Amino acid sequence: MYIANLFAVLRIRNFRLLWASSFMHVIGEVSELIAQAWLVLLLTDDSALWLGIAAGLRGLGHIGIGLLGGVFADRLDRRTILIFTKFIRSLTIVILVPLIIFEEVQLWHVLLIVLLQGASEGFFVPSFNGIIYDIVGRKDLMKANGYTLASFHTAWIVGSILAGNFINSIGIELAYILASVSLFISIFPIYLIRVPRTQNHSTGSVWSSILLGFKYVGTNTPLKALLILSVLTETFGFSYIMMLPLIAKSYLDVGATGLGYLSAAGGIGSLLGTAIVVTISETKNKWTILTITTLIAAFSLFLFGNSSWYILSLIIAGIIGLSLTTYDASIHTLIQLLSEDKMRGRVLGLYGMTWGFTPAGGLLLGVIASITSAPFAIGLGGVVIFIYTGGVIFRVGKKTNLPN
């Protein structure tokens, strides 16, 4: 009976379609991220600052649109929003290919595309998170999040290795083609999903809806603590990915292929993390799981920043992937469980907006790295997350009762 429950969400047709779409989407996303970072380094003579600026522009686009994306997720059909944003992302990426082939690409071209990609993510994330809840409901939400992350990280491994080897053996343009085609293919499973249209829970002007979302979170201490944790973890935790090209190229000296495997190592660890999430999805101690895994992630980031041995860095990257994945599923589930139905889209808009702090954090880490070093910037991020988790999340968790 227990084993059957583990696979219950996979028997839902709509969820299987969403899973397949997510797989192709992430292959496209990671290919574009690796290609973007490598292209920026080539165009700027390995500048950590410009690498951070490019990441920061992606975050600026995401953060600037994230709140609006949350309001639309409460007002419009989430499935339609997903199809539209996937198409826009595929189209904007492929624009760079002829510029690269004919050696006409300039830094401003890359920065403009990155900004547009970030803005489209701001629309995409609240609707994607919300449609998971629409498909599986409250009871199986954490399990569904676990399987979604499994799709994400399996695709991250595949996409990382493919993009790294394509860049190394053929050229950056092929990694961009892979990104565009994968994102376009990911549209078709979403088109086949059939769920009830999103009810219009948001009334009045868009601005008043946004303000109501802020007020709702501001008076809910657990939600507020979780969103601040998400900002810090995205800024100082997940953003370490933005520094991986520089770490691989300038500190570990392993090239684009080594970068692909370093990124894939995090994906392998993340797969193990998803297995843990699915196994423990029915536990009531979700806040405890969140606290422990965030502390492990923070300590692992500190160790990664102090590693100069490639093999050790691969192992630590795996541990970071495992702990951040378990953190990710836990916080995603807690935020949705603590949100009222009528406010879910806007809360997810705020939560999705915090995802924009991953690339924005890349800008901050890039600035710190240009002043000190990339390893120091990554290690410092681990310390910041560790202090907040131990000092705030642990304390708030003891006072929080989750709804049934």
Side-chain angles (χ1 to χ4, degrees):
M1 185 68 176
Y2 176 73
I3 298 298
N5 286 337
L6 288 179
F7 299 100
V9 294
L10 295 179
R11 291 195 289 268
I12 302 173
R13 174 183 177 273
N14 284 334
F15 184 74
R16 293 197 304 271
L17 290 169
L18 185 69
W19 198 95
S21 175
S22 178
F23 184 86
M24 294 307 302
H25 182 101
V26 175
I27 287 180
E29 185 170 34
V30 69
S31 300
E32 191 250 336
L33 285 172
I34 289 177
Q36 168 213 308
W38 207 256
L39 183 57
V40 168
L41 289 176
L42 289 176
L43 292 173
T44 62
D45 196 25
D46 296 348
S47 170
L49 180 59
W50 277 112
L51 186 64
I53 290 172
L57 281 175
R58 182 184 294 269
L60 179 64
H62 190 146
I63 294 167
I65 298 296
L67 291 174
L68 194 60
V71 173
F72 283 177
D74 270 339
R75 293 188 176 203
L76 304 179
D77 180 41
R78 291 167 183 161
R79 174 177 159 273
T80 303
I81 293 174
L82 297 184
I83 291 172
F84 176 76
T85 52
K86 285 172 179 287
F87 178 76
I88 293 298
R89 293 193 67 179
S90 175
L91 182 64
T92 53
I93 289 173
V94 80
I95 291 173
L96 280 175
V97 173
L99 295 174
I100 296 170
I101 292 174
F102 294 107
E103 299 183 355
E104 296 292 334
V105 65
Q106 298 179 34
L107 182 60
W108 73 267
H109 297 142
V110 182
L111 298 181
L112 178 59
I113 296 298
V114 165
L115 182 63
L116 292 174
Q117 289 290 305
S120 67
E121 287 172 5
F123 279 109
F124 174 84
V125 170
S127 290
F128 179 77
N129 288 334
I131 206 169
I132 297 175
Y133 187 95
D134 295 340
I135 290 172
V136 304
R138 176 183 295 271
K139 183 172 180 283
D140 291 321
L141 183 59
M142 188 166 182
K143 196 180 283 113
N145 286 337
Y147 279 114
T148 303
L149 288 170
S151 172
F152 180 99
H153 294 297
T154 302
W156 191 273
I157 296 168
V158 174
S160 296
I161 294 174
L162 285 176
N165 280 282
F166 283 171
I167 292 171
N168 194 56
S169 60
I170 301 175
I172 294 176
E173 63 271 20
L174 191 57
Y176 273 114
I177 291 172
L178 172 64
S180 181
V181 171
S182 297
L183 285 166
F184 186 73
I185 291 174
S186 75
I187 292 173
F188 295 98
I190 296 294
Y191 180 77
L192 296 174
I193 288 175
R194 293 293 177 264
V195 291
R197 289 182 62 89
T198 305
Q199 295 181 18
N200 189 349
H201 291 303
S202 178
T203 57
S205 69
V206 170
W207 180 243
S208 65
S209 295
I210 291 174
L211 290 178
L212 186 60
F214 272 112
K215 182 179 179 181
Y216 178 74
V217 169
T219 57
N220 188 313
T221 299
L223 276 178
K224 183 166 58 176
L226 289 173
L227 289 175
I228 293 173
L229 174 65
S230 187
V231 169
L232 293 176
T233 306
E234 298 292 338
T235 302
F236 295 105
F238 286 101
S239 61
Y240 94 102
I241 295 170
M242 305 297 169
M243 291 290 106
L244 282 185
L246 189 60
I247 293 289
K249 197 169 192 289
S250 301
Y251 292 90
L252 297 176
D253 194 27
V254 292
T257 300
L259 167 62
Y261 286 110
L262 197 61
S263 179
I268 292 171
S270 297
L271 275 179
L272 296 176
T274 59
I276 293 172
V277 168
V278 171
T279 303
I280 63 175
S281 60
E282 296 184 14
T283 180
K284 296 181 179 179
N285 298 320
K286 293 179 176 63
W287 199 289
T288 301
I289 294 169
L290 172 73
T291 303
I292 292 172
T293 53
T294 308
L295 290 172
I296 293 173
F299 185 65
S300 300
L301 285 165
F302 178 79
L303 293 179
F304 185 85
N306 286 278
S307 170
S308 58
W309 184 29
Y310 180 56
I311 299 300
L312 179 60
S313 296
L314 286 173
I315 295 171
I316 298 174
I319 297 172
I320 293 172
L322 186 153
S323 52
L324 283 180
T325 295
T326 313
Y327 148 87
D328 212 7
S330 300
I331 193 170
H332 184 176
T333 302
L334 286 167
I335 284 174
Q336 296 225 47
L337 292 179
L338 290 166
S339 301
E340 298 177 37
D341 289 345
K342 65 181 180 180
M343 296 299 300
R344 183 166 290 109
R346 274 160 286 183
V347 174
L348 288 175
L350 286 168
Y351 175 54
M353 186 183 72
T354 69
W355 290 17
F357 282 86
T358 292
L363 171 58
L364 178 59
L365 293 188
V367 171
I368 296 172
S370 66
I371 297 172
T372 56
S373 69
F376 177 84
I378 293 171
L380 178 63
V383 172
V384 171
I385 296 169
F386 194 93
I387 291 173
Y388 181 79
T389 304
V392 177
I393 295 300
F394 176 75
R395 176 174 51 81
V396 173
K398 291 193 297 183
K399 302 176 181 178
T400 301
N401 295 316
L402 290 177
N404 296 322

